[in-house]
């Protein structure tokens, strides 16, 4: 093989690898966003629970 063909083949290979990395990157970003959304829901639920407990304690204090 001549040098130009070797370089062309290498460039093709690198291009394919780059496209694979782009797809993986998109998938990872989607997973990350999904995990962040789940975490937001969890956090909100936790905050709601804490607020409920706090309100209940305040009500109990007022009664006493």
């Amino acid at each position: 093989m001549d040098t130009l063909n070797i370089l062309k083949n290498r460039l093709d290979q690198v291009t394919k690898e780059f496209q694979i990395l782009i797809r993986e990157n998109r998938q990872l970003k989607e997973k990350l966003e999904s995990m962040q959304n789940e975490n937001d829901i969890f956090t909100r639920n936790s905050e709601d629970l804490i607020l409920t407990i706090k309100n209940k304690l305040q009500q109990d204090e007022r009664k006493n």
Side-chain angles (χ1 to χ4, degrees):
M1 279 189 159
D2 65 337
T3 306
L4 283 177
N5 279 338
I6 293 172
L7 289 173
K8 181 186 175 292
N9 289 339
R10 180 67 182 135
L11 181 60
D12 287 343
Q13 180 183 0
V14 168
T15 301
K16 288 177 186 176
E17 292 171 357
F18 187 71
Q19 292 300 321
I20 290 169
L21 289 173
I22 288 173
R23 281 193 301 271
E24 288 179 5
N25 188 25
R26 282 187 194 129
Q27 290 173 346
L28 289 173
K29 283 182 179 180
E30 289 173 3
K31 286 181 183 179
L32 179 61
E33 287 176 5
S34 173
M35 290 173 69
Q36 286 174 332
N37 288 338
E38 288 175 12
N39 189 33
D40 286 348
I41 291 171
F42 176 76
T43 302
R44 269 187 260 131
N45 288 339
S46 294
E47 288 172 352
D48 288 347
L49 180 61
I50 290 170
L51 212 101
T52 301
I53 292 171
K54 183 178 176 182
N55 287 337
K56 178 68 175 155
L57 288 173
Q58 285 176 346
Q59 289 174 357
D60 287 349
E61 284 178 5
R62 287 182 194 144
K63 289 180 182 178
N64 292 331

